[in-house]
Amino acid sequence: LGSSRPSKIVCRRGICGLQRRPKSNMARAILALAVGASALVAPSQPAKPLSVVSATSERSAAMPFLPRPMKLDGMVGDKGFDPLGLSEWVPVEWLRESELKHGRVCMLATLGFVATDCGFRLPGEMHQIASINAHDMAVDMGGMTQILTWIAVAECIGYLAILEMLDGSGRKPGDFGFDPLQIGGADDPEMQLKEIENGRLAMLAFSGIVTQAVLTGKGFPYF
């Protein structure tokens, strides 16, 4: 870039001579910058197709923003609802036993609570009160002690049944062999689903009924 250019004749004060053209420092600088810049540019490569990463975990049907509780798979009434992850550290059989117990209690409690406020009451002065006042009356009359005693007996029997179930006896959660009407729900998935869903509804219903009765101080329909 300038070093190979021919010399030119220069005449000064009558004296002529050959003079080589100076080398172009600017051209060398530009060349050096071009080479250095090319080293900073990545060589072009064919574009790779984008890979789509598929989710390996299924999502909960009830709460799509959470993974589906895998240990509930195959359980009657499984909706994928376990936001606290209880099924990951508590035996699923024990959880189902508790759900069935509380559901059955609340189904009876909801029916009795509403029926009492609708006028269906046992004979005797102590029963002639609203459902919301039944607890205080039972404490005053001594009936609460009897209730707690029978509950303790039932809990002891149920605890032994749960221990045998967890040890692999083959007993199904909530199965006490009580079927006086011969409905056959213990072996019928459809009847088991109905019991689970009605029990869940009753747990919510009883909570709402009691709350509404206390807030309004009125009987059925509690507003």
Side-chain angles (χ1 to χ4, degrees):
L1 292 175
S3 59
S4 59
R5 292 180 181 179
S7 302
K8 67 178 181 178
I9 300 176
V10 179
C11 295
R12 291 180 181 177
R13 296 181 181 180
I15 302 174
C16 297
L18 296 176
Q19 182 180 6
R20 297 179 61 88
R21 290 186 177 181
K23 298 180 179 179
S24 177
N25 294 329
M26 181 62 70
R28 291 183 177 181
I30 294 175
L31 179 61
L33 290 175
V35 173
S38 64
L40 299 176
V41 179
S44 60
Q45 295 180 352
K48 295 181 179 180
L50 297 176
S51 59
V52 179
V53 180
S54 60
T56 57
S57 60
E58 299 182 28
R59 313 309 294 177
S60 169
M63 310 182 74
F65 53 88
L66 292 177
R68 185 173 71 87
M70 301 305 296
K71 291 188 177 181
L72 299 182
D73 189 24
M75 302 290 291
V76 176
D78 175 24
K79 306 296 183 181
F81 183 83
D82 186 17
L84 300 180
L86 296 178
S87 60
E88 296 297 327
W89 56 280
V90 179
V92 178
E93 295 81 3
W94 189 88
L95 294 175
R96 176 48 56 91
E97 183 87 19
S98 300
E99 183 179 26
L100 286 171
K101 179 191 298 183
H102 287 85
R104 291 166 178 172
V105 169
C106 284
M107 283 189 283
L108 294 173
T110 300
L111 177 61
F113 199 98
V114 174
T116 298
D117 286 342
C118 288
F120 296 92
R121 298 174 181 177
L122 296 175
E125 183 180 355
M126 66 176 298
H127 299 295
Q128 308 309 311
I129 56 174
S131 296
I132 199 63
N133 300 321
H135 174 270
D136 294 342
M137 178 61 72
V139 173
D140 295 339
M141 301 296 294
M144 186 61 68
T145 302
Q146 301 178 27
I147 295 174
L148 293 178
T149 299
W150 286 109
I151 289 178
V153 172
E155 286 294 326
C156 290
I157 297 175
Y159 182 72
L160 295 175
I162 292 175
L163 289 181
E164 293 180 357
M165 176 183 65
L166 296 179
D167 287 340
S169 64
R171 171 184 175 270
K172 295 181 180 179
D175 184 9
F176 290 95
F178 182 78
D179 187 15
L181 300 180
Q182 301 298 318
I183 298 177
D187 300 322
D188 188 355
E190 183 179 357
M191 294 299 297
Q192 295 175 8
L193 179 60
K194 291 180 179 179
E195 182 181 28
I196 285 291
E197 292 184 341
N198 284 277
R200 291 170 178 172
L201 177 60
M203 286 187 279
L204 295 175
F206 186 73
S207 301
I209 290 173
V210 173
T211 302
Q212 189 77 359
V214 172
L215 292 177
T216 63
K218 299 180 180 180
F220 184 82
Y222 311 107
F223 61 82

